[in-house]
Amino acid sequence: MRRLVIKKRFLHKNGRPFGYGVLFVAGISVLALPGCTTSGLDMFSRTQVDRSVKTSTIPQAAPTSDSISDEVTVGNAVTSADISKTAGQPLAWANASTGSAGVIDKIVENNDSGVICRQFTTTRHSYVGIAKFAGKTCLVNSGNWQLMSFQQQG
């Protein structure tokens, strides 16, 4: 008597063997996975860290009307300060039109070449963030103070 052996196959709806599709998808996943991970799992490449990429601060943008208004406000605070009374004490300032505020932490007055100037450092707290600035304002021939420089510090 002969025995009849029936081999069973698991079939999808379209008639293809189920096992080959699973193997194909698993193989593609394994090959694609290293591209989504860190270099620690990158088995096929000897890529080195790219040292040519530099990070730094964003260059200062062109002055806006808000920053100019803040500069004028700081300049007015520096020029109207009575240095004999402040004697190294911080001087707060605020600009209601921009919402910015800060603290002038140093004012130094000098009389270089016959011109009275005040150098200062200040902070500016604004919607952009907090930054430190250094500036200089001088008494010009007309008797008015003129802001000569106002630069953001690194």
Side-chain angles (χ1 to χ4, degrees):
M1 186 169 164
R2 242 170 129 184
R3 275 177 127 187
L4 182 61
V5 177
I6 299 174
K7 186 176 179 183
K8 290 186 176 181
R9 291 176 99 180
F10 293 100
L11 300 176
H12 268 317
K13 291 179 184 176
N14 60 6
R16 291 194 183 102
F18 178 73
Y20 295 128
V22 169
L23 288 176
F24 178 74
V25 170
I28 293 297
S29 298
V30 168
L31 291 175
L33 184 62
C36 299
T37 62
T38 62
S39 62
L41 297 176
D42 191 3
M43 300 175 285
F44 304 112
S45 132
R46 295 279 179 190
T47 309
Q48 299 296 321
V49 175
D50 185 1
R51 301 280 181 205
S52 66
V53 176
K54 304 280 186 209
T55 59
S56 64
T57 58
I58 298 171
Q60 185 68 21
T64 62
S65 61
D66 283 355
S67 65
I68 292 170
S69 177
D70 288 344
E71 290 175 18
V72 170
T73 302
V74 171
N76 289 340
V78 169
T79 58
S80 63
D82 185 352
I83 295 179
S84 64
K85 290 183 181 178
T86 59
Q89 295 295 318
L91 177 65
W93 64 270
N95 186 346
S97 66
T98 64
S100 300
V103 176
I104 302 166
D105 56 0
K106 180 175 76 170
I107 302 174
V108 177
E109 185 172 285
N110 55 39
N111 192 353
D112 295 339
S113 64
V115 178
I116 298 173
C117 292
R118 290 184 177 179
Q119 293 181 318
F120 60 92
T121 57
T122 185
T123 57
R124 179 173 68 185
H125 306 242
S126 69
Y127 67 91
V128 178
I130 300 173
K132 187 163 187 150
F133 291 84
K136 180 179 181 180
T137 185
C138 295
L139 193 59
V140 293
N141 292 337
S142 62
N144 294 320
W145 289 91
Q146 182 177 353
L147 192 62
M148 305 306 241
S149 66
F150 191 78
Q151 300 293 319
Q152 186 171 348
Q153 303 300 296

